[in-house]
Amino acid sequence: MRAIGYMYKRVETPEGFDLPGISDVYSLGACVNDDFADYIDFWKHNGYFLFDSPAVMRALADELEISLEGLRLFYYEAHDLQFDGDSREWVPFGPFHDDVNVQPPARAMLEGFDITSFWAGAGPECSPLSCNYLARSIETNKHCLLPTFEAAVDVLESGAFKNAKPGPYRIVAVYSVAETE
């Protein structure tokens, strides 16, 4: 797994999101739980379209006068290969640009594994477990994440994402980070 960055997210269960056993959504994709801001145009993000440290996001939020109150801080790591659903092969990938210097957190809690689409090859797009409601037929934890890396590999290789969003797909470890970071 490689460090790909941080993001402050709004965590909630959206109205009408009715999946038994799921209390909230910790997906990397922003379809269900929004990122802290529409940050792309400011080019403060790294080559994975995330942030190298929480401090970079806090500075941008201050600059844009955006409150981070009530948001959760997440840290992400990605499997070194991405899954191409068309060819059904695992293939290498890299950052969109080489400006990546992720500072791993001192302490973080692994919450589970998301599978996120990267059709355009740049930043994270959709998380079909929540975005396409695939969690209706795929067992997830209370945060709509897969419990293990092996479960994520099995789900992809089984073809369960075949009619979801266009891939390729990356397996992403999702960590909660204490606000002291």
Side-chain angles (χ1 to χ4, degrees):
M1 300 293 273
R2 69 175 81 162
I4 60 172
Y6 292 86
M7 183 62 68
Y8 277 104
K9 309 271 287 173
R10 287 175 184 78
V11 174
E12 55 191 38
T13 303
E15 193 168 319
F17 192 83
D18 185 25
L19 294 176
I22 296 175
S23 60
D24 49 28
V25 177
Y26 284 8
S27 66
L28 172 58
C31 297
V32 175
N33 56 332
D34 295 334
D35 299 333
F36 77 102
D38 187 8
Y39 61 90
I40 299 297
D41 291 341
F42 297 95
W43 286 95
K44 306 275 183 168
H45 57 275
N46 67 22
Y48 294 110
F49 284 71
L50 296 169
F51 292 87
D52 287 335
S53 73
V56 175
M57 281 184 292
R58 286 192 290 267
L60 181 58
D62 287 346
E63 179 182 324
L64 300 175
E65 298 180 354
I66 295 172
S67 172
L68 298 176
E69 188 173 329
L71 303 184
R72 296 217 37 187
L73 178 60
F74 292 97
Y75 167 73
Y76 304 98
E77 295 177 342
H79 179 42
D80 290 329
L81 301 173
Q82 62 186 7
F83 187 74
D84 182 324
D86 294 332
S87 68
R88 302 192 48 73
E89 294 180 335
W90 291 96
V91 296
F93 72 92
F96 187 74
H97 58 78
D98 290 334
D99 188 14
V100 177
N101 186 23
V102 178
Q103 301 166 16
R107 291 183 346 171
M109 181 164 64
L110 178 62
E111 301 289 354
F113 295 84
D114 196 13
I115 297 174
T116 307
S117 65
F118 284 81
W119 178 79
E125 294 159 359
C126 295
S127 296
L129 288 168
S130 56
C131 181
N132 291 80
Y133 288 87
L134 291 183
R136 285 183 177 145
S137 59
I138 297 170
E139 187 176 339
T140 64
N141 65 20
K142 67 181 182 176
H143 304 301
C144 204
L145 300 172
L146 296 162
T148 66
F149 172 79
E150 293 77 17
V153 170
D154 290 346
V155 163
L156 283 172
E157 291 180 348
S158 75
F161 277 51
K162 185 175 183 171
N163 294 315
K165 300 291 183 183
Y169 299 105
R170 297 180 190 165
I171 297 173
V172 178
V174 178
Y175 295 85
S176 289
V177 180
E179 283 300 313
T180 59
E181 291 293 323

